[in-house]
Amino acid sequence: PLAVVAIGGNALAREDEDGTFDEQYRRAIAMAESLRWMIVDGWRLVIVHGNGPQVGNALLRVESAAGKAPILPLGICVADTEGGMGYMIEQCLQNELHFAGHDREVVTIVTQMLVDKSDPAFENPTKYIGQFYSEEESKKLARVRKWQMKKDGERGWRRVVASPAPLGAVCAGIIKRLVEEDVIVIAAGGGGVPVYHDDHRLLEGIDAVIDKDLAAAVVAKEIGADTLLILTDVQKVALNFGKENQQDLDHISAKQAQEYFDQGHFPKGSMGPKIRAAISFLNSGGKCVIIASVEQASEALAGNAGTRIIP
C-alpha cells in the first residue's frame, strides 16, 4: 500500500520550545520512530511536512540582515527550509531503518508546486508571514519592498501573501517512479515552492505560500496513493472543538465532512485546510483519509485512533 503522510511544521518546532536545531532534530527522531513501523510493515511512503515556524525564522534572519546581506525572496526561503528540514527527517529515517535492519532508501526532493497566477487568492492576500512591525515601519516596507501589509491583532503589522490552491507538483512523475522503486520520498515540504507557467510555458517563481495539507492531497492524487494520513496536534477531528459540547468523530464520510465544513465547524487557521484536503483527495479517487496525532500514527492506521474519513 502507498500512503502520503502530512506532518505539521509544529511537530518539529513547538511553541513551548525555542526551535533550536537540537530541539528540532530530537523531534525528527521521534517522528521517524513513529513512522518506522509503517515502513517495516511494508508501506510505501511519501512524507510532506509543514514549515510555518521554520520559514518564519528564515524570514526573520533575512530581514535582520537587511543592508548586510542580499535580501532573499520568499520562494528561496521555502526551498531552504525544504532542504534543511528534509535533511533532518531523511537522516533520522535512515538511522531508524538501519537499526531495524532495513535497507530502504530515503530521499528529499525540493518540490516546485504549480499554481494559477490568476488564482483569486492573489487579489486578497491573507496569509501572515514574518515578524511584527509598527504602522510606520509597515508603510515604509510597503513603499520600499512593495510588500502588502495588514494589521495582525494588537501586536502590530505584518506582511501578507497569497495562499493559492496547488494544481500539481512539477516533479510528480519523478516522485511516482521513486515510490515504485520502493524509495521513501520526502517532498512538497512547506507545501512546495509556488511557481506558475508564463506566456511561453516557462516556469517562474511567485511570492506565495501553499498549505501543506492541500499540497499533500494533490501529490497523493498524482501518484495514486491509497491513503492520506494527516498528523497534527489533536487526537481526533471534533465538532464544537474546545467547547463543553465538543463531539469527537471516529468515522465520517466525505459528504458529512463537507456538511460540517459548510456549517463552520472547522476554522480556516486550524482544521479547515485538513478537511478541505481530505475532501479533495477522496473526491479525486482516494480511498481513505486519516487525521490523528503524531503520537498515535500507528494506532490510527490500524483503526484504533484518530478520525477516519471515507468516500
Side-chain angles (χ1 to χ4, degrees):
L2 170 58
V4 171
V5 182
I7 305 173
N10 287 316
L12 292 187
R14 300 196 174 182
E15 291 184 357
D16 58 345
E17 296 178 340
D18 295 326
T20 65
F21 173 79
D22 287 342
E23 288 173 340
Q24 292 191 64
Y25 195 83
R26 285 198 299 272
R27 295 292 180 192
I29 292 172
M31 182 190 302
E33 289 175 347
S34 70
L35 294 176
R36 178 184 64 183
W37 76 271
M38 290 182 65
I39 299 166
V40 171
D41 206 33
W43 281 83
R44 295 176 295 155
L45 291 186
V46 173
I47 299 166
V48 177
H49 61 80
N51 71 342
Q54 293 81 5
V55 80
N57 287 332
L59 289 167
L60 177 58
R61 294 186 192 99
V62 169
E63 293 167 21
S64 299
K68 299 178 182 178
I71 295 293
L72 298 177
L74 176 58
I76 293 295
C77 293
V78 173
D80 283 350
T81 57
E82 274 200 86
M85 296 176 72
Y87 153 72
M88 285 192 289
I89 298 169
E90 178 181 325
Q91 187 177 91
C92 291
L93 273 175
Q94 288 167 329
N95 289 340
E96 282 296 319
L97 292 173
H98 172 73
F99 292 140
H102 281 252
D103 59 359
R104 298 272 296 275
E105 294 180 291
V106 187
V107 67
T108 299
I109 299 179
V110 175
T111 310
Q112 298 178 80
M113 190 68 68
L114 284 169
V115 301
D116 184 351
K117 193 180 180 183
S118 61
D119 189 302
F122 289 106
E123 297 297 321
N124 181 32
T126 58
K127 184 68 174 180
Y128 290 103
I129 63 170
Q131 60 182 311
F132 289 87
Y133 298 94
S134 67
E135 185 173 1
E136 182 179 348
E137 289 172 324
S138 72
K139 289 179 179 178
K140 181 179 178 181
L141 289 166
R143 184 177 67 255
V144 174
R145 298 190 189 173
K146 310 301 180 185
W147 286 358
Q148 290 187 276
M149 311 291 291
K150 288 184 180 180
K151 193 173 183 181
D152 185 7
E154 298 301 319
R155 296 179 63 186
W157 295 71
R158 296 176 72 192
R159 183 185 179 189
V160 289
V161 297
S163 184
L167 303 178
V170 172
C171 59
I174 297 172
I175 296 172
K176 188 172 184 178
R177 290 200 298 273
L178 287 169
V179 166
E180 288 171 349
E181 294 180 13
D182 221 17
V183 177
I184 299 162
V185 181
I186 302 163
V193 183
V195 298
Y196 69 95
H197 281 125
D198 67 13
D199 294 338
H200 302 285
R201 297 292 296 172
L202 300 177
L203 291 169
E204 182 71 31
I206 189 167
D207 274 356
V209 293
I210 296 173
D211 181 84
K212 71 98 177 38
D213 295 311
L214 297 178
V218 168
V219 171
K221 172 188 173 182
E222 290 185 302
I223 67 173
D226 307 284
T227 301
L228 174 60
L229 176 61
I230 301 177
L231 300 179
T232 182
D233 55 359
V234 296
Q235 295 184 358
K236 292 178 185 287
V237 178
L239 305 181
N240 305 308
F241 181 76
K243 301 178 181 179
E244 291 184 0
N245 60 340
Q246 176 174 320
Q247 178 186 350
D248 292 341
L249 302 174
D250 295 322
H251 297 85
I252 56 174
S253 68
K255 181 180 179 181
Q256 289 173 311
Q258 184 68 62
E259 291 173 353
Y260 293 142
F261 182 88
D262 294 340
Q263 292 168 10
H265 282 286
F266 309 125
K268 180 172 62 175
S270 55
M271 190 57 69
K274 295 171 176 52
I275 296 298
R276 286 177 57 203
I279 294 169
S280 173
F281 175 62
L282 294 172
N283 287 347
S284 64
K287 297 178 181 178
C288 179
V289 177
I290 302 169
I291 301 177
S293 67
V294 176
E295 295 78 10
Q296 293 186 313
S298 58
E299 294 93 333
L301 207 59
N304 300 319
T307 299
R308 188 173 292 258
I309 309 175
I310 59 173

